Amino acid sequence: MHILILNGPNLNLLGQREPQIYGTNTLNQMEESIKKVAQPLNVQVDFFQSNSEGAIIDTIHAAKDKGIDGIVLNAGAYTHYSYAILDAIHAVTTPVVEVHLSPIYQREAFRHHSVIAPACIGQISGFGIDSYRLGLLALLNDLEK
Ligand code: DQA
């Protein structure tokens, strides 16, 4: 299996950005923790982060041709209003699991709605960097069905 962990805007600042909400682990540390889960399972993992909506969309489009079987996506704030990312996920056959570090349903009202959720196979939120690990396991479980 070959999985992509795709991170959207402001997640490059993980560790320093509002640590009371998003934790003190950096994006790099999250990636290392994912590698530890993936390695014994023989899963190849790629990582990509962009602050640009277009780059995220291009990456979703290109995934299949790069041999990627599924995507774990934290679209950041785009989650709540990017119909373009929703359409991109609908446009491809690559399964996507939506993840969030923070418990989005316990936060401001605008975070309670995910416009990308209808195109994703499932959603995990509120477990900090463990949301990615859980998202990866859920994705692998789905792919193996
Ligand atoms: C987030 C939640 C979003 O509402 C926010 O805009 C983010 C991060 C999370 O991982 O908790 O940038 O996706």
Side-chain angles (χ1 to χ4, degrees):
M1 283 296 174
H2 189 178
I3 303 298
L4 172 66
I5 311 288
L6 179 55
N7 277 292
N10 300 306
L11 291 160
N12 53 312
L13 296 182
L14 207 56
Q16 14 165 332
R17 172 196 183 201
E18 300 183 274
Q20 70 285 5
I21 296 172
Y22 299 113
T24 52
N25 286 294
T26 64
L27 195 59
N28 226 18
Q29 285 167 327
M30 180 280 286
E31 294 180 0
E32 289 309 312
S33 89
I34 284 286
K35 282 181 198 164
K36 276 192 197 137
V37 177
Q39 239 164 21
L41 297 174
N42 244 334
V43 172
Q44 186 185 342
V45 194
D46 289 0
F47 300 95
F48 182 69
Q49 186 275 332
S50 177
N51 294 321
S52 308
E53 189 177 21
I56 294 167
I57 291 165
D58 288 343
T59 302
I60 292 168
H61 290 175
K64 196 174 183 187
D65 286 346
K66 288 189 173 161
I68 286 162
D69 299 298
I71 301 174
V72 175
L73 171 64
N74 185 348
Y78 287 139
T79 302
H80 312 300
Y81 65 94
S82 177
Y83 298 113
I85 293 179
L86 168 72
D87 283 352
I89 301 168
H90 270 315
V92 299
T93 54
T94 309
V96 176
V97 171
E98 175 186 351
V99 300
H100 301 283
L101 295 140
S102 65
I104 55 172
Y105 300 101
Q106 298 167 19
R107 300 185 61 200
E108 304 98 306
F110 80 87
R111 296 185 206 275
H112 297 181
H113 185 62
S114 164
V115 302
I116 67 169
C120 296
I121 61 171
Q123 184 198 71
I124 292 170
S125 67
F127 296 97
I129 63 164
D130 282 345
S131 291
Y132 292 90
R133 193 167 52 85
L134 296 168
L136 173 67
L137 293 174
L139 180 58
L140 292 173
N141 192 54
D142 200 82
L143 284 166
E144 274 154 22
K145 269 184 203 159

